[in-house]
Amino acid sequence: MQKQSSRLALAAAGVTVVLWASAFVSIRSAGEAYSPGALALGRLLAGTLVLGAVLLVRREGLPPRAAWPGILVSGLLWFGVYMVVLNWGEQEVDAGTAAMVVNIGPILIALLGARFLKESLPPRLLAGMAVSFAGAVVVGLSMSRASSGAHASLLGVLLCVLAAMAYAGGVVAQKPALAHGSALQVTTFGCLVGAVACLPFAGQLIDEAGRAPLSATLNMVYLGVFPTALAFTTWAYALARTTAGRMGATTYAVPALVVLMAWLFLGELPGLLTLAGGALCLAGVAVSRSRARIPADAGTAEST
């Protein structure tokens, strides 16, 4: 039973990673017509509507009182601050620089998880994260060099650092909430908190929606339904069944998948350096998710 639950959690994490990778392709389109705050609000509203409908159908109701502190903090940091700041940061720096800076997030998650959640930092997790981060740096450098208009302002770098910090803080705050509420409850109300926090951008969203092309608006809705509503729920399901540090390390597969999707859907042929970086990211995830084997004689010795 435990092995089946572990497989389901791994599958849920895989769904999250694939959908989050697809978000980068959609953000590129929607971001041309929508400002950072408006895009975040539109995405969160779409996600909240879908999640709320599912919550009503399943009749799960409100989460327990003990879950609310984590829901409020993760909703403000991850669903609110992270989405707005990342959208803004990606307008100030090239995609490669953004990818490199934001990928300090999993490292911060592991450190914060050890400090506040008392999670261990096994050598395999640290080694895997080091390999994956090196791969993210390689992917970022190759993307920056490939972009003729690459730029990186100090403001953009600082915004990406803030996004990584908000992401890490949101994940660590969400973990205790999942001990009291279901993945659907925690995700739904976290998304709602983020949407409420972004309401000051409602005027921009209404104004820009009237001028935006249909493709940009559809991409915004896609971001809300799949990379937000579905992917954040599968993330919460998996996070409830493993450590925050291990889940954070899993997201290092995202850069490799972004490279693949950009090739398949945008026709952007990756260079050898980009492919090598993507391979490093995936190798690091494999190492971080692996477990040390216990020698058979050790188990025998303990039982005697």
Side-chain angles (χ1 to χ4, degrees), residues 18-37:
V18 170
L19 290 177
W20 281 356
S22 74
F24 284 87
V25 179
S26 291
I27 288 174
R28 183 174 303 181
S29 172
E32 294 178 357
Y34 288 97
S35 57

Side-chain angles (χ1 to χ4, degrees), residues 175-202:
K175 175 68 174 175
L178 291 166
H180 305 284
S182 70
L184 180 59
Q185 288 175 322
V186 172
T187 305
T188 300
F189 288 96
C191 192
L192 177 60
V193 169
V196 171
C198 291
L199 282 179
F201 302 106

Side-chain angles (χ1 to χ4, degrees), residues 13 25 37 44 54 79 92 107 113 124 148 150 159 164 168-169 177 197 216 230 283 303:
V25 179
L44 289 168
V54 175
F79 289 89
E92 297 292 328
I107 299 173
R124 284 173 180 259
S148 58
L159 287 170
L230 178 56
S303 63

Side-chain angles (χ1 to χ4, degrees), residues 1 43-44 53 57 68 88 94 97 100 102 113 173 180 187 194 199 202 204 211 216 229 235 237 247 283 295:
M1 190 70 177
R43 174 180 179 176
L44 289 168
V57 170
W68 276 102
W88 186 8
D94 60 273
T97 301
M100 285 186 290
V102 172
H180 305 284
T187 305
L199 282 179
Q204 292 181 10
R211 296 182 281 104
W235 164 277
Y237 176 87
M247 277 299 293

Side-chain angles (χ1 to χ4, degrees), residues 203-216:
Q204 292 181 10
L205 176 61
I206 294 172
D207 179 61
E208 293 169 6
R211 296 182 281 104
L214 179 60
S215 60

